[in-house]
Amino acid sequence: MSTQQMIPRKVWYGLESKSYLEIAQELPENDESLRRWVAIYAVYQIDFINRRATRLFYDFLENARNSNYVAIEFSIPRHILETRDSIDDSDITIIKFQKLETEENINNFLQENNINPDLFTPPWTCDYPLD
């Protein structure tokens, strides 16, 4: 019986300690015109109620607002990444979206979807495009 892989502790603790809102990794993509990522957001860290009137969140975060975490896999056309200063909801194609409550749920989701948890990093180390 093999032990289940987990997100590296240093990365997980950074997410849990609110050092960053999400962790991510870039995934291989067969279509050269696209880039693809998977991310896990700590939704419980977001204050949806007391935010500035001008503070907007991606729709997938709004849709996950009553969960602790959300996992999202998405792609973005390379030309958008190369020509735009910011990314909005209409620029991304969501491949997978899953609300999750615990670290165990996250690990099970990753295993079921053949995503290597060892490759998660803080967003700035994997050229993560959403901010």
Side-chain angles (χ1 to χ4, degrees):
M1 179 180 208
S2 64
T3 54
Q4 186 177 43
Q5 288 182 294
M6 297 173 57
I7 295 167
R9 297 295 78 192
K10 182 178 179 181
V11 175
W12 180 255
Y13 294 146
L15 182 68
E16 287 292 279
S17 70
K18 301 181 182 182
S19 295
Y20 26 88
L21 177 63
E22 72 272 8
I23 56 176
Q25 63 176 281
E26 189 166 3
L27 297 172
E29 175 58 60
N30 293 329
D31 184 341
E32 288 294 317
S33 70
L34 300 172
R35 288 180 70 186
R36 188 164 53 118
W37 285 267
V38 62
I40 297 167
Y41 283 80
V43 180
Y44 71 88
Q45 293 182 23
I46 301 172
D47 186 351
F48 290 98
I49 306 300
N50 298 312
R51 61 181 162 184
R52 299 183 316 271
T54 58
R55 177 67 167 130
L56 301 175
F57 295 109
Y58 289 100
D59 287 345
F60 69 85
L61 289 173
E62 294 284 357
N63 292 334
R65 72 187 314 173
N66 293 320
S67 59
N68 285 329
Y69 304 95
V70 66
I72 180 168
E73 182 180 333
F74 64 93
S75 63
I76 301 178
R78 286 182 183 272
H79 73 88
I80 288 180
L81 293 166
E82 295 166 359
T83 60
R84 304 242 182 104
D85 289 335
S86 63
I87 306 295
D88 65 33
D89 286 303
S90 65
D91 298 322
I92 66 175
T93 300
I94 295 175
I95 300 162
K96 292 183 180 110
F97 169 87
Q98 182 67 48
K99 298 177 200 177
L100 302 158
E101 297 305 321
T102 66
E103 184 180 10
E104 182 180 0
N105 295 148
I106 291 168
N107 290 326
N108 289 337
F109 171 84
L110 297 175
Q111 184 174 8
E112 290 165 9
N113 289 282
N114 297 315
I115 298 169
N116 185 345
D118 290 330
L119 300 179
F120 277 95
T121 65
W124 58 88
T125 64
C126 67
D127 204 19
Y128 191 69
L130 305 183
D131 54 3

